[in-house]
Amino acid sequence: MEIEELKAKLRTTGVVGAGGAGFPTYAKLSSAAEVVILNSAECEPLLRVDRQLSKHYTEEILKALELIVLTLKAEKGIFAIKSEYKEAIASLKAVIYKFRNIEIKILENVYPAGDEVVLVYEATGKIVPEGSIPIAVGVVVVNTETVLNVYNSVFLDKPVTDKYVTITGEVNKPTTIKVPIGTSIMECIELAGGTKLENFKIILGGPMTGRIGSLEEVITKTSKAIIILPEEHSIILKRQTRSSIKINRAMSVCSQCRMCTDLCPRYLLGHNIQPHRIMNALANGLTSDIAAFTSASLCCGCGICENYACYQGLAPSSIIGELKVRLKEKGVKNTPSKIVSKVNLMREGRKVPMERLIARLGLTKYNINADLVDELYNAHKVVIKLSQHIGAPAITKVNVGDLVNVGDLIGEIEEGKLGTNIHASISGEITKVDKKAITIEARGDING
Ligand code: SF4
Ligand code: SF4
């Protein structure tokens, strides 16, 4: 297959990064590469999707990875997976001999093993230059579920219409489910046996980088996990703290111990991101230290500095996150260093073990299996957002009253714009169309 053919296929079938910000996959696979890394590190605590898909869909994922490797004319593919995912590794070892251009890389169970820059270093020994992306060193990184969607797209001609999501925390039966895109968060929680608590909060995504969500929200192409926590859990309280309070605390309490910097995974790879310096500049009004502020753009938002390193309970990661937004709004850019990054000599000893991180987050009791129920949930109503990921929103192609089947095109991306098409995730009638979403309700005569 030629690159342009693959790109067109992935664009029309709506394949985007299935975790994180959801960068359209066709745009990521747009040029030749030396190495393609399949990221099955599942970076965040408690999440279970990637390891389960790696176990249950090993051959499909390998077949799609092989296709990407051949299409990008890469020398090899690397299936990067954590040592802890023993069942997935066993499945992988049983069939990897069929794929001569793919090797397995076993990763340590540390956080954030799945961060692209960290992963590229661990899997290839190459350092992505600061402010750059993996293709700068000839590497493309793709997520496990994304590659399964590539398989569905290319080999089965199936667009992206459903999503695997881990439901865990204070639910009666932690489970990894498969649901149509647009299913409500409330229904997903019911599929995991409902909550154990009357008063709870929801984290959408992982505990390190996810956000507080609501029952009324819906599953999108980038949903990965729903974590139910008590309202008073420290993760919730931290996220609810106002930025002004976070900044006041930084001004009065930060001791400049620099633990946040010493444990920062990007700093340890030689990038010039030093959270303690940003905190100092902020706390002391050091406006002359412009570089400290602009270096915020080098932060990957992993949250180590805030949730693990800082013994004072300060919030460097949140503050840096806000700073990044403000700098972007003002069009202020960081000037990346021209000096080639060198790995910090202390890096090995400063890796953050997952178990210790989970304990520090107060999540040990939730760190249990969330087995996969691989039967697609029969949703009766879905609300499919026109904008679900990075890029332009899709343009509606349907009207209220139209009847659609699963997989029908309902939203199209404009020619020349970054983005992908969206498709009906259930069969039924279009009952609402607005600027943000398309609602489909199942009808007996269509669903049969
Ligand atoms: S770890 Fe906390 S106290 Fe130490 S420098 Fe960083 S923000 Fe300040
Ligand atoms: S969140 Fe903190 S630890 Fe992570 S990359 Fe940003 S500054 Fe470094």
Side-chain angles (χ1 to χ4, degrees):
M1 193 176 224
E2 294 301 319
I3 290 182
E4 288 308 317
E5 199 186 340
L6 177 63
K7 281 173 63 181
K9 186 78 186 161
L10 300 181
R11 193 168 194 262
T12 51
T13 50
V15 182
V16 303
F23 196 70
T25 306
Y26 76 87
K28 206 171 201 184
L29 306 184
S30 59
S31 59
E34 290 164 29
V35 179
V36 180
I37 302 176
L38 181 123
N39 184 356
S40 194
E42 194 128 63
C43 209
E44 285 257 14
L46 310 189
L47 275 55
R48 297 289 184 265
V49 171
D50 290 349
R51 75 180 72 180
Q52 310 219 39
L53 296 182
S54 297
K55 175 184 161 193
H56 292 281
Y57 291 98
T58 322
E59 285 217 49
E60 288 86 346
I61 292 167
L62 282 167
K63 213 170 160 191
L65 178 58
E66 182 181 53
L67 173 99
I68 297 169
V69 169
L70 293 174
T71 305
L72 300 191
K73 302 192 174 17
E75 288 158 21
K76 63 179 175 182
I78 300 177
F79 199 122
I81 187 162
K82 280 190 187 159
S83 55
E84 192 201 350
Y85 307 165
K86 294 191 172 34
E87 291 181 4
I89 293 172
S91 302
L92 201 49
K93 285 188 172 166
V95 293
I96 193 81
Y97 71 92
K98 298 182 192 171
F99 302 89
R100 295 185 180 237
N101 56 359
I102 298 175
E103 58 189 56
I104 304 172
K105 170 69 188 176
I106 307 290
L107 305 166
E108 292 171 89
N109 193 24
V110 295
Y111 180 85
D115 170 57
E116 283 197 344
V117 173
V118 171
L119 184 62
V120 168
Y121 178 69
E122 292 292 342
T124 68
K126 296 180 181 187
I127 301 178
V128 177
E130 63 176 48
S132 198
I133 55 174
I135 195 63
V137 289
V139 181
V140 165
V141 181
V142 274
N143 160 272
T144 311
E145 189 177 0
T146 311
V147 175
L148 183 58
N149 285 334
V150 171
Y151 176 86
N152 290 335
S153 165
V154 176
F155 294 99
L156 307 181
D157 200 23
K158 180 185 176 305
V160 180
T161 56
D162 41 62
K163 189 76 189 71
Y164 289 93
V165 186
T166 297
I167 321 292
T168 192
E170 293 285 353
V171 288
N172 289 307
K173 195 172 179 304
T175 315
T176 298
I177 55 173
K178 183 182 182 185
V179 292
I181 287 164
T183 303
S184 77
I185 300 297
M186 190 169 1
E187 281 173 279
C188 292
I189 294 170
E190 288 307 315
L191 290 173
T195 66
K196 292 182 189 168
L197 305 173
E198 239 176 66
N199 300 316
F200 59 87
K201 290 281 181 196
I202 300 163
I203 296 283
L204 297 180
M208 293 292 274
T209 61
R211 62 175 176 86
I212 292 181
S214 73
L215 292 170
E216 292 71 40
E217 290 186 60
V218 294
I219 296 297
T220 69
K221 289 182 184 180
T222 62
S223 300
K224 199 85 177 164
I226 301 169
I227 304 172
I228 309 297
L229 292 175
E231 282 183 327
E232 65 282 5
H233 195 284
S234 60
I235 289 176
I236 301 295
L237 298 179
K238 260 191 178 176
R239 276 179 177 65
Q240 287 178 327
T241 305
R242 287 202 314 272
S243 333
S244 55
I245 294 175
K246 287 177 180 168
I247 291 171
N248 282 342
R249 280 186 189 153
M251 291 166 95
S252 55
V253 183
C254 178
S255 65
Q256 286 296 289
C257 70
R258 63 168 287 152
M259 279 296 285
C260 48
T261 294
D262 287 343
L263 292 182
C264 170
R266 295 285 178 105
Y267 172 76
L268 290 170
L269 281 174
H271 290 191
N272 189 23
I273 169 83
Q274 300 181 51
H276 81 284
R277 197 173 143 204
I278 297 174
M279 295 293 266
N280 188 40
L282 194 73
N284 296 296
L286 299 178
T287 44
S288 56
D289 193 3
I290 300 294
F293 291 113
T294 57
S295 69
S297 67
L298 303 176
C299 164
C300 67
C302 70
I304 287 276
C305 51
E306 180 164 328
N307 299 306
Y308 188 81
C310 184
Y311 74 105
Q312 299 273 34
L314 300 182
S317 170
S318 306
I319 291 172
I320 292 169
E322 288 207 19
L323 200 50
K324 276 167 83 171
V325 174
R326 301 282 168 268
L327 290 170
K328 200 171 173 194
E329 279 170 4
K330 301 279 177 207
V332 180
K333 289 195 175 141
N334 185 48
T335 310
S337 167
K338 298 239 181 318
I339 302 163
V340 178
S341 303
K342 277 204 183 116
V343 177
N344 189 297
L345 293 175
M346 306 301 283
R347 181 173 183 270
E348 277 306 306
R350 290 185 185 162
K351 289 179 178 172
V352 175
M354 194 60 130
E355 294 295 322
R356 213 179 299 161
L357 174 65
I358 289 172
R360 185 75 61 91
L361 291 170
L363 295 173
T364 303
K365 74 174 193 171
Y366 306 122
N367 188 25
I368 52 176
N369 286 344
D371 287 339
L372 175 66
V373 175
D374 202 7
E375 195 177 314
L376 182 63
Y377 170 60
N378 185 18
H380 289 275
K381 176 180 171 184
V382 290
V383 178
I384 302 175
K385 291 164 85 172
L386 293 167
S387 180
Q388 303 188 26
H389 49 79
I390 281 183
I395 307 292
T396 308
K397 299 298 288 179
V398 286
N399 296 304
V400 171
D402 287 353
L403 299 178
V404 289
N405 282 309
V406 177
D408 285 352
L409 181 73
I410 57 170
E412 198 168 34
I413 191 70
E414 267 182 276
E415 204 52 52
K417 293 224 164 136
L418 179 72
T420 63
N421 292 346
I422 55 172
H423 304 81
S425 60
I426 63 171
S427 298
E429 182 180 344
I430 305 290
T431 55
K432 189 175 174 194
V433 176
D434 61 29
K435 282 184 183 159
K436 291 194 169 162
I438 297 169
T439 303
I440 309 173
E441 292 185 48
R443 297 285 181 249
D445 52 338
I446 294 180
N447 278 339

